[in-house]
Amino acid sequence: MFGYIRPFRPELRIKEEEAYRSVYCGLCKELGKNYGVFARLTLSYDFTFLAILAMGLGQGEPSFSKVRCLANPLKQCVACRQDKITPAIAAKAMITLYYKSLDQLCDERLFTRLPVYAVFPLFRHAWNKARQTEPETERLAAEMTQKQAAAETQQAGPDQAAEPTADFLACVCESLSQDPVQRRVLHRFGYLLGRYIYLSDALDDLEKDETKKRFNPFLQSCSAEEWKRLSYVPAADSIRGTIAELAKAFELLQLNDWRPILENIVYFGLKHSLQTILQKKEKMA
Amino acid sequence: MTDPYKILGISPSASDEEVKKAYRELARKYHPDHYQNDPLADLAEEKMKEITAAYDQIMDMRRGSGAGQAAGGPSQFSDIRRMINNNRITEAEELLDGVPQSSRDAEWYFLKGSVFYTRGWLDEAYRHFHQAVQMNPNNQEYRMALQQMSWQRAHGTNPGSMPGAGGMYCSPCNFCTSMICADCCCQCMGGRGCC
């Protein structure tokens, strides 16, 4: 996953920002403990969101502890951890990371592939460990990779191309709750969230994919040049529609004290990420 | 039964006006119109029922008289329509795909759009709803479905449940009020060169 799911900081209250950061630190620490220092450097915001969502749905109480930060060892920060949740999310992160790097190794030119080769054994080692704790995620991720390849050979449009990622996240989110009704809501929510991530990434990489001749669902209908002339409106509309739709599913979730942070991400953060992508493109022009 | 005040997210000491306001806000959020064709529509409907029951209960307790509100109305459904409503998407799609090109009317495009919508293929859904409205511009249902998606695509939120700054909810109805408030804030901040 790619870091498009993050809070919109100006709208976060200070206690919420601190809580958010503590979950991030807790995951980072967990990755270090279970998979080594390199793993800590790969942590993305998306998994922090998943951890908070899991905590928001769950019953258990998280525990807080003081840790030293890898990026700034002089500073102490608070790490939040919950027994059943944090290790599971860390494992999911490692599995996704492995499949993403695998994808990069197939796709990129040799020059960009070299750094991936250098760290790949580490990723592989982490993956081997993670898939034993999360066999279901491993199965889903392998399935996603396979379906993605099939969609790409079929030159799929946005809806179809987004489906493997969407299905993956639908099942991952669904697994965060035991309650059958909540699971249904989470499935829809996860599907749309996966769709959002995939389409955002596709829009973000539009130009890069064209020069590198990589698959991009938005390039099936017109070229990057034409997209620029359209100011990316159809793609942005599609992503905005996805955000609105997933907000509807989100409103049906039963959440505890973590709700305000999740609301911030769903109502403001996602749209802000889209805005950031569009602004980046404007600057390029 | 759960505490009706808790369901509406207010304290038992809330005034009648506050109860009404809380009810209205929640009802707007979970209104069936927002969840039209949504595979989670039944959950929203349950939520709506829960809110309405809680509101009625509070009002009954306070006055001894009810103020129920029914939501949504049934309309005519064909077999495929019923299938879609029961989340039998694969079957519905098979039947739809079996319809020859020549007899695909506005209703066909609407139902096909609904199938896509349920699956989360929002682009195709939008295209099909658009086609349905073009073929039959007078159908209220098609127009509503298209309108909802157009709003979502333009705003990234849902009509009536758009959260504004600081967790306050603002809707098209109180959009003007919000603008006036924002204007006031800007003016007082303006002195420090903020806006």
Side-chain angles (χ1 to χ4, degrees), chain B residues 102-193:
Chain B
S102 54
S103 35
R104 292 182 178 178
D105 58 356
E107 175 78 0
W108 186 89
Y109 280 97
F110 175 72
L111 292 176
K112 181 88 180 172
S114 303
V115 167
F116 279 125
Y117 179 78
T118 309
R119 278 169 46 187
W121 288 38
L122 303 180
D123 284 6
E124 286 295 330
Y126 180 72
R127 238 168 35 81
H128 281 78
F129 287 156
H130 195 86
Q131 179 70 21
V133 170
Q134 270 194 337
M135 289 167 90
N136 184 358
N138 296 322
N139 186 303
Q140 189 66 21
E141 191 184 14
Y142 307 161
R143 272 180 19 213
M144 288 236 317
L146 183 66
Q147 253 169 32
Q148 191 203 345
M149 288 203 94
S150 304
W151 173 284
Q152 289 184 324
R153 292 167 74 88
H155 299 90
T157 48
N158 297 290
S161 65
M162 189 166 62
M168 275 166 57
Y169 289 87
C170 94
S171 73
C173 323
N174 61 22
F175 181 70
C176 289
T177 335
S178 313
M179 287 311 282
I180 293 166
C181 288
D183 192 40
C184 293
C185 295
C186 284
Q187 273 174 8
C188 64
M189 301 297 275
R192 288 180 223 144

Side-chain angles (χ1 to χ4, degrees), chain A residues 179-198:
Chain A
D179 178 72
V181 177
Q182 290 292 292
R183 283 171 73 91
R184 241 186 89 201
V185 179
L186 283 165
H187 189 91
R188 174 92 175 163
F189 177 72
Y191 183 97
L192 294 161
L193 197 67
R195 179 184 155 92
Y196 161 83
I197 295 175
Y198 183 85

Side-chain angles (χ1 to χ4, degrees), chain A residues 50-265:
Chain A
L50 266 192
I52 296 179
L53 180 63
M55 289 177 184
L57 290 159
Q59 304 293 323
E61 282 287 317
S63 60
F64 293 87
S65 63
K66 281 201 170 161
V67 293
R68 293 218 173 268
C69 180
L70 187 67
N72 183 1
L74 292 177
K75 211 180 98 190
Q76 276 205 327
C77 39
V78 178
C80 169
R81 184 183 188 285
Q82 199 166 323
D83 264 343
K84 281 193 188 120
I85 293 169
T86 315
I89 300 288
K92 287 183 208 298
M94 287 298 104
I95 292 169
T96 330
L97 176 74
Y98 170 76
Y99 280 100
K100 201 186 160 200
S101 62
L102 211 61
D103 181 53
Q104 277 170 340
L105 286 184
C106 306
D107 256 21
E108 311 259 352
R109 281 182 274 182
L110 183 67
F111 184 68
T112 40
R113 242 166 32 201
L114 283 174
V116 185
Y117 273 126
V119 289
F120 191 67
L122 293 171
F123 288 2
R124 203 182 154 79
H125 179 73
W127 167 67
N128 258 322
K129 200 169 165 198
R131 69 183 173 147
Q132 271 150 30
T133 48
E134 285 284 308
E136 180 61 12
T137 310
E138 161 62 19
R139 190 185 67 75
L140 292 168
E143 198 182 284
M144 164 175 73
T145 314
Q146 223 170 36
K147 281 199 290 185
Q148 193 65 54
E152 289 181 17
T153 40
Q154 283 173 30
Q155 308 279 307
D159 282 334
Q160 196 192 344
E163 190 145 276
T165 314
D167 278 340
F168 172 71
L169 223 63
C171 296
V172 167
C173 285
E174 193 182 331
S175 72
L176 298 180
S177 174
Q178 304 297 323
D179 178 72
V181 177
Q182 290 292 292
R183 283 171 73 91
R184 241 186 89 201
V185 179
L186 283 165
H187 189 91
R188 174 92 175 163
F189 177 72
Y191 183 97
L192 294 161
L193 197 67
R195 179 184 155 92
Y196 161 83
I197 295 175
Y198 183 85
L199 294 182
S200 296
D201 190 48
L203 176 61
D204 206 1
D205 289 346
L206 197 71
E207 288 79 12
K208 227 178 4 177
D209 285 346
E210 191 175 64
T211 41
K212 289 184 175 171
K213 296 203 169 50
R214 276 192 308 207
F215 173 81
N216 187 311
F218 290 128
L219 292 173
Q220 305 305 312
S221 51
C222 46
S223 69
E225 194 54 42
E226 283 166 297
W227 272 107
K228 205 163 115 189
R229 220 172 303 133
L230 290 167
S231 313
Y232 307 97
V233 169
D237 279 358
S238 176
I239 295 171
R240 265 192 295 265
T242 311
I243 297 172
E245 197 58 34
L246 75 85
K248 274 165 54 187
F250 175 78
E251 271 151 26
L252 293 167
L253 288 174
Q254 271 160 8
L255 299 165
N256 54 27
D257 297 348
W258 291 97
R259 178 179 268 279
I261 302 180
L262 295 166
E263 276 183 350
N264 174 293
I265 296 172

